[in-house]
Amino acid sequence: MNIVVCVKQVPDSWAEKKLNPSDSTLDRDSVDAVMNELDEYAVEEALVLQEAHGGEVTILTMGPEKAGETIRKALSMGADKGVHVVDAGLHGSDAVATSAVLAKALGTLEWDLVIFGIESTDARMSVVPAMVAERLGSPQLSFATKVDVADSTVTIQRQTEYGFDTVEAKTPAVVSVVEKINEPRYPSFKGIMAAKKKPVTTLTLADLGLGADEVGLAGSWSAVDEFAARPPRQAGSVVKDEGDGGVKIAEYLAGQKFI
Amino acid sequence: MDFRIPEELQALRASFAAFVDREVRPIDESMTEEYWSGTPDHGRLHDAAEQVRRRAAQEGFYACYLPEDVGGWGVSTLGTALLVEDAARCGVRLAMMAVAPPNPSGPSTLLLQLPEHLQDVYLRPVVRGEASMCFALTEPEAGSDAQAIRTRARRDGDSWVIDGHKHYITNGDKADFAVVFAVTDPEKRAAGGITAFVVPRDQFRAGKTQWTLADTHPSELFLDGARVPADHVIGEVGLGFFAAMSFLNAGRAYIGAQCLGLAEFALDAAVAHARSRTAFGRPLSRNQGVAFPLAESKVEIEAMRWLTYHLAWAVDEGENPMLDASIVKYYDTERAYAVADRCLQVFGGMGLLREGPVERVLRHLRMLRIVEGASEVQQLVISRAMGL
């Protein structure tokens, strides 16, 4: 069974992020870049499925040259090879444009499953897996807390407020996994050294047959009109409990329309 | 010259940082009460340290510097030094148990000189974090003057019989075996008359526990007719000091790296405090009396960094940088202590509390100025190398 895991390089979750005033895109130079933490679960799940079913695990990313570090990390965890879509024209792509690029790149690969993390920790939209599945015409199994594959059927469990949904589909299919699904492995030194020799293919927009107007800022359906820094946090109000604390809390919540 | 840290070592550091954050930090945070207590539960602290050591061994970080055939990763001295530095810098106390060096309870490269069948018995279980060892050289009458040891080993048929008294032995009370230095030829002593032996737990007795200002608790060891088979000699008979020398340079790089990491941690904490703490209507950092000592600390930290990385590099290049090793041991321990002392001063009264971040660093560094070759011994080595 061949699996492709889509990963994204994002600013370190703990870093203070800034936007470039010129085009309202993320200022990548001012922060450390890491693999989207939620994608680590997707890589781990792919490796676990590979250990059980065989096949190859390919890592797919799009982004600037530096994003290749994220592929290398996934390879050091144990994936077999990487595909990196890198092109200046990608700059500023929103979720719709991103899904167009990933779907095209997936079209050049052979796979039974595509696995995503549920969202990226920078944009936090959670929509790319669904958009990619739609473009590919594949079933989408989202928010999986468990993935099982038997023959050509993939079954997932999805936690709901009341229990679990069990959802199944025929492969090829697109799956997104949540962080509860596993504990991602730490790259070992052996894995790190082996990753240096694993193949990574780079693709351009021309290789994928995509025009400059279909991706990047020009091809995006959404745009940032303006942005402002978050205002400094205001001091909270302190309610002194003089026997009427409960009433005061209820009044406060009612005032905020919480109750 | 290329001073960049190789990509694979940066990746290894990132992997180790993820391990520390995900697994060690929560255990460390659960120990806060013990750290801050005047009467901590030492059993709890020991169990937590063991838990970290085992997990780090399962993942491979613990004995990463040993060759793959004994269960290590074959990471260079530089790579290992970087992990030791990061473990000390991150402020998670138990992280310092996740990489074996410079803890003497971890698997010593000395044991690679044992015959293969004994590596299975002694070395590999320590690599796996299932057993631990101790290094027994110091005696009541032989500290810096190590060749003055009185512990004697006599050959008796196919065995050696060892008698003597060791003290200040880290992990002596818990170790599954000891590496014991004993005189085998009183005439020759350091020049071919001192031998290193592996002595299993049932052949020695741990005496009084000796509590130190650095929260360590070495103990006395008694060897009363300890008997070990002839193949339990490390290296060659009479050449115990030469065997020990083979790992001394790397060991000093690791101590230097720990000093470096602790100094960086103290400085990070002091800078953050100086920027956020207000006194007399402005941040502490706006006072030159606060900012300049921190600037000086930064300069000394960079000097420590490059002395240490250079020493580790030289070891990896197959050189025998004994002078550099003494310079690192001397400079890093002394300067890191000075840095921590300045940083503690920035915290004022809070700096004195066990709850403050720097006081335990200061105590640990005070210890490192003495153990594993006191500063004055290093100055002696350095001055002799200068022809003095």
Side-chain angles (χ1 to χ4, degrees):
Chain A
M1 184 177 61
N2 293 324
I3 304 171
V4 180
V5 184
C6 296
V7 301
K8 182 181 183 185
Q9 189 175 53
V10 297
D12 190 340
S13 310
W14 301 104
E16 195 177 329
K17 294 150 210 162
K18 292 182 201 150
L19 298 182
N20 281 318
S22 58
D23 62 1
S24 305
T25 60
L26 179 69
D27 176 5
R28 292 181 189 274
D29 295 334
S30 68
V31 283
D32 286 339
V34 296
M35 181 197 280
N36 174 38
E37 199 184 319
L38 296 165
D39 293 343
E40 290 188 29
Y41 301 93
V43 175
E44 176 65 30
E45 198 58 24
L47 296 172
V48 169
L49 288 169
Q50 182 194 37
E51 280 158 14
H53 302 283
E56 272 195 328
V57 174
T58 303
I59 304 301
L60 170 62
T61 197
M62 63 175 262
E65 204 169 315
K66 195 174 162 54
E69 293 167 3
T70 290
I71 293 184
R72 208 53 76 181
K73 176 170 180 184
L75 297 180
S76 70
M77 289 170 76
D80 299 293
K81 56 186 182 163
V83 176
H84 185 180
V85 185
V86 52
D87 196 301
L90 293 169
H91 179 72
S93 295
D94 69 354
V96 173
T98 298
S99 68
V101 177
L102 294 180
K104 279 279 187 191
L106 286 163
T108 69
L109 301 168
E110 283 185 17
W111 47 270
D112 304 288
L113 274 188
V114 175
I115 307 184
F116 284 86
I118 43 162
E119 63 180 11
S120 61
T121 56
D122 54 353
R124 310 208 76 136
M125 292 181 70
S126 238
V127 294
V128 170
M131 289 177 173
V132 168
E134 179 66 21
R135 287 182 187 275
L136 294 168
S138 298
Q140 188 220 167
L141 306 171
S142 57
F143 300 93
T145 52
K146 190 170 186 290
V147 179
D148 289 305
V149 179
D151 300 323
S152 56
T153 302
V154 54
T155 308
I156 67 141
Q157 280 197 346
R158 178 192 301 139
Q159 192 168 9
T160 69
E161 276 181 57
Y162 310 102
F164 287 98
D165 289 341
T166 301
V167 189
E168 67 172 45
K170 291 284 176 207
T171 57
V174 174
V175 175
S176 68
V177 300
V178 301
E179 69 268 33
K180 285 189 191 113
I181 195 166
N182 56 42
E183 281 291 332
R185 64 196 67 189
Y186 309 105
S188 70
F189 192 60
K190 214 172 167 177
I192 289 166
M193 295 306 282
K196 291 173 85 167
K197 295 182 192 137
K198 290 179 179 174
V200 177
T201 311
T202 53
L203 296 172
T204 62
L205 290 174
D207 294 332
L208 297 177
L210 282 165
D213 56 339
E214 295 174 84
V215 298
L217 286 167
S220 290
W221 292 14
S222 58
V224 177
D225 287 335
E226 57 180 317
F227 64 89
R230 182 167 41 198
R233 185 182 289 219
Q234 302 294 316
S237 54
V238 177
V239 177
K240 203 166 182 188
D241 182 12
E242 288 163 342
D244 57 350
V247 175
K248 281 181 176 166
I249 288 172
E251 280 171 0
Y252 173 80
L253 292 174
Q256 300 289 320
K257 298 196 165 59
F258 284 123
I259 55 174
Chain B
M1 285 197 285
D2 185 347
F3 288 98
R4 283 172 300 190
I5 303 298
E7 227 172 61
E8 65 272 17
L9 297 185
Q10 295 287 25
L12 179 64
R13 296 176 91 170
S15 186
F16 180 63
F19 171 73
V20 169
D21 268 339
R22 232 185 275 160
E23 301 204 31
V24 187
R25 194 178 290 279
I27 302 172
D28 202 65
E29 284 172 356
S30 73
M31 289 293 124
T32 306
E33 205 179 300
E34 307 299 346
Y35 295 149
W36 293 354
S37 165
T39 52
D41 180 341
H42 293 290
R44 255 195 101 203
L45 288 170
H46 174 76
D47 291 347
E50 278 301 288
Q51 195 185 343
V52 168
R53 202 168 74 88
R54 291 221 177 102
R55 273 298 294 135
Q58 282 165 3
E59 289 297 337
F61 299 110
Y62 181 63
C64 65
Y65 54 97
L66 286 172
E68 284 185 30
D69 60 358
V70 296
W73 280 345
V75 173
S76 61
T77 310
L78 176 61
T80 307
L82 291 169
L83 296 194
V84 172
E85 176 193 345
D86 291 351
R89 182 177 188 167
C90 68
V92 177
R93 297 180 195 206
L94 286 171
M96 296 206 284
M97 289 306 294
V99 191
N103 306 312
S105 57
S108 168
T109 47
L110 259 181
L111 302 177
L112 293 170
Q113 298 176 42
L114 285 174
E116 180 63 27
H117 70 282
L118 291 182
Q119 292 189 15
D120 269 345
V121 178
Y122 295 108
L123 176 56
R124 288 186 175 89
V126 187
V127 170
R128 292 194 297 268
E130 294 163 5
S132 69
M133 58 169 280
C134 66
F135 188 86
L137 171 61
T138 304
E139 297 180 6
E141 300 299 327
S144 293
D145 186 11
Q147 62 83 39
I149 57 171
R150 294 178 181 179
T151 297
R152 284 293 310 268
R154 295 177 184 80
R155 187 71 190 247
D156 179 22
D158 286 341
S159 305
W160 287 91
V161 178
I162 308 169
D163 289 284
H165 176 201
K166 301 285 181 183
H167 80 167
Y168 304 163
I169 308 304
T170 304
N171 199 45
D173 55 339
K174 300 278 194 311
D176 295 279
F177 63 91
V179 170
V180 174
F181 288 77
V183 177
T184 41
D185 185 339
E187 300 296 315
K188 292 185 185 162
R189 290 205 157 261
I194 292 176
T195 304
F197 297 90
V198 170
V199 181
R201 175 86 233 178
D202 60 4
Q203 295 297 311
F204 66 86
R205 182 169 60 82
K208 198 173 62 182
T209 299
Q210 303 166 305
W211 291 95
T212 74
L213 96 169
D215 297 335
T216 60
H217 49 282
S219 53
E220 294 181 294
L221 292 194
F222 294 98
L223 299 116
D224 303 316
R227 186 173 282 273
V228 295
D231 60 3
H232 279 46
V233 169
I234 297 172
E236 288 178 44
V237 173
L239 300 183
F241 277 179
F242 294 92
M245 298 278 182
S246 67
F247 80 105
L248 201 61
N249 293 327
R252 299 226 153 119
Y254 301 146
I255 289 182
Q258 190 173 67
C259 291
L260 169 62
L262 288 171
E264 289 175 299
F265 167 73
L267 186 63
D268 290 345
V271 166
H273 183 71
R275 287 164 57 120
S276 62
R277 169 84 175 177
T278 303
F280 304 106
R282 59 182 183 175
L284 283 183
S285 59
R286 300 300 297 275
N287 299 291
Q288 288 187 353
V290 172
F292 284 13
L294 296 182
E296 190 171 354
S297 299
K298 174 67 177 164
V299 173
E300 289 178 348
I301 281 172
E302 292 310 309
M304 287 162 59
R305 179 190 318 287
W306 294 107
L307 282 172
T308 307
Y309 292 178
H310 175 261
L311 169 62
W313 170 86
V315 172
D316 290 333
E317 289 294 304
E319 294 173 19
N320 182 20
M322 284 180 60
L323 174 60
D324 294 326
S326 277
I327 290 173
V328 164
K329 173 68 174 62
Y330 172 70
Y331 188 82
D332 286 18
T333 55
E334 291 291 328
R335 290 301 91 201
Y337 181 79
V339 167
D341 191 41
R342 286 183 207 122
C343 292
L344 187 140
Q345 193 76 10
V346 171
F347 280 90
M350 196 206 298
L352 301 173
L353 301 184
R354 291 184 80 93
E355 295 173 36
V358 185
E359 70 91 35
R360 58 109 188 168
V361 172
L362 190 80
R363 290 185 290 114
H364 190 85
L365 289 168
R366 188 65 192 83
M367 173 182 76
L368 292 183
R369 288 170 60 200
I370 292 176
V371 301
E372 306 261 346
S375 290
E376 294 73 15
V377 172
Q378 307 308 334
Q379 286 176 305
L380 186 71
V381 172
I382 296 162
S383 59
R384 284 195 181 153
M386 294 161 68
L388 299 171

